[in-house]
Amino acid sequence: MTRNERNAIIQHGTMTMVRKSVLQDVDGWAEWCITEDAELGLRIFEQGREASYIAQSYGRGLMPDTFTDFKKQRFRWAFGAMQIMRHHVGTLLRGTGNLTSGQRYHFLAGWLPWIADGVNLLFSFAALCWSVAMILAPEHVDPPLLIFSILPLALFVFKLGKLVYLYRTRVKANTIQTIAAALAGLGLTHTIGLAILTGVFVRSKPIFRTPKQAHKHAVLKALNAAREEALLFFALCLAAFAIINNFGTETLDLLMWSVMLLLQSVPYAAAVIVSIISAASTLPASWIGETGSMQQVANSVLESDAANSER
């Protein structure tokens, strides 16, 4: 709704209507982009056109059924965002096109958290390398400065706090739903980070459809889907315990670095947990239920249908 006020909606294909003449004026969909809906919306804005958001639900989309398909969907979204930024870098960063400053801001700000996940992935690998060097060559490699531990800790707390606040206040989620949303969001950190880094070096990937209503994966297949995250989780935990075992926690630098390594492992642990949950096909949906905002949408749809029937 905020983006709508500044004519800066990032278009999504589901429940979107585009005027045929406008679609023809901008030469249709971009076949080179795997998130062609968002790219089309940006080109429409570049033509000086307007978009409108209607705060009424006209339908519901389907979520991926398995964690594997969930990851594929989010990888496509994040990789597609990088494709768009690379292709429209002049318009988005240098302001060479017809976009307003508000439009450029909302497009970049919308994708900034994903870019942060890419930076976080690089930081995790760097932290592991530094920790191994500390353990193997303690006489040559000192613990990192305190700022290198405090900054990622602060960013992690901010990200988690923002997620909890928004889901509780805007989505009207209860405690269980908020925890589930936090797990799902943190569990995608590695996938999104990998997609962002891939998008830096790879120009294109084939378009693929996210499977919906697929067969549930077995537990072993589900764990295999999170094998990278599981390896990084164990690596970060082992690094933290090895540093504590070898050097102790006498200094604040060592203590904070160990805590930082353990907190860096949390998103990877979340991915493993979500992957296991996705394999448990017998879990009742009533455990989660609908959020307050979804119930409001359902009620508004029912009221609209009743009004239409009376007419």
Side-chain angles (χ1 to χ4, degrees):
M1 295 176 72
T2 301
R3 290 173 180 161
N4 184 55
E5 293 175 359
R6 305 183 77 176
N7 194 33
I9 299 170
I10 299 179
Q11 177 178 298
H12 300 286
T14 306
M15 295 298 150
T16 292
M17 296 180 67
V18 182
R19 193 179 298 277
K20 180 181 177 181
S21 59
V22 174
L23 188 61
Q24 293 172 333
D25 287 344
V26 297
D27 297 326
W29 307 96
E31 296 183 6
W32 56 267
C33 185
I34 63 175
T35 50
E36 73 291 340
D37 46 3
E39 198 279 336
L40 174 66
L42 181 58
R43 280 189 287 122
I44 290 175
F45 285 142
E46 288 177 344
Q47 293 287 327
R49 308 279 186 165
E50 293 187 358
S52 295
Y53 168 70
I54 300 174
Q56 180 177 346
S57 176
Y58 289 91
R60 295 193 184 188
L62 294 175
M63 286 292 294
D65 285 328
T66 66
F67 187 54
T68 300
D69 298 333
F70 193 31
K71 290 173 63 175
K72 288 179 180 178
Q73 181 191 63
R74 296 311 168 96
F75 185 97
R76 177 171 61 86
W77 290 2
F79 182 85
M82 288 301 297
Q83 282 186 302
I84 295 171
M85 283 191 282
R86 289 180 60 162
H87 191 82
H88 296 274
V89 63
T91 300
L92 290 171
L93 296 181
R94 296 194 295 269
T96 56
N98 296 321
L99 295 183
T100 66
S101 58
Q103 289 172 328
R104 294 200 306 274
Y105 165 78
H106 281 291
F107 269 87
L108 293 173
W111 293 324
L112 191 59
W114 289 350
I115 296 174
D117 285 340
V119 175
N120 182 72
L121 181 57
L122 290 176
F123 181 85
S124 293
F125 280 112
L128 281 173
C129 292
W130 193 294
S131 300
V132 171
M134 286 173 55
I135 296 168
L136 297 180
E139 66 280 2
H140 300 294
V141 182
D142 295 324
L145 297 174
L146 193 60
I147 186 63
F148 291 105
S149 300
I150 293 178
L151 183 59
L153 290 176
L155 291 175
F156 178 83
V157 172
F158 173 77
K159 178 180 179 179
L160 192 60
K162 182 189 73 171
L163 186 148
V164 171
Y165 171 77
L166 290 177
Y167 269 85
R168 294 289 288 180
T169 61
R170 302 303 185 195
V171 188
K172 307 301 181 184
N174 59 35
T175 301
I176 294 177
Q177 291 165 347
T178 303
I179 294 172
L183 275 175
L186 291 174
L188 291 170
T189 300
H190 176 71
T191 297
I192 292 174
L194 191 60
I196 292 297
L197 296 180
T198 303
V200 173
F201 302 102
V202 179
R203 285 188 174 274
S204 64
K205 278 183 170 292
I207 294 178
F208 53 88
R209 182 186 66 85
T210 303
K212 309 287 174 57
Q213 296 182 318
H215 295 295
K216 292 288 183 182
H217 286 204
V219 174
L220 290 179
K221 288 185 178 180
L223 289 174
N224 185 57
R227 62 187 181 279
E228 294 179 10
E229 291 91 334
L231 287 173
L232 284 168
F233 168 71
F234 285 116
L236 288 165
C237 289
L238 285 174
F241 290 127
I243 289 173
I244 293 173
N245 184 63
N246 287 5
F247 307 109
T249 56
E250 286 79 11
T251 67
L252 186 60
D253 288 349
L254 284 171
L255 175 61
M256 294 304 295
W257 185 253
S258 301
V259 172
M260 186 279 301
L261 289 172
L262 292 175
L263 274 184
Q264 282 291 109
S265 72
V266 171
Y268 303 107
V272 176
I273 294 172
V274 175
S275 184
I276 294 173
I277 291 174
S278 76
S281 58
T282 58
L283 293 178
S286 59
W287 285 9
I288 298 296
E290 289 190 343
T291 63
S293 61
M294 283 302 298
Q295 191 59 54
Q296 291 172 5
V297 168
N299 291 338
S300 67
V301 171
L302 290 174
E303 291 173 1
S304 177
D305 290 344
N308 292 332
S309 298
E310 291 176 359
R311 293 194 192 101

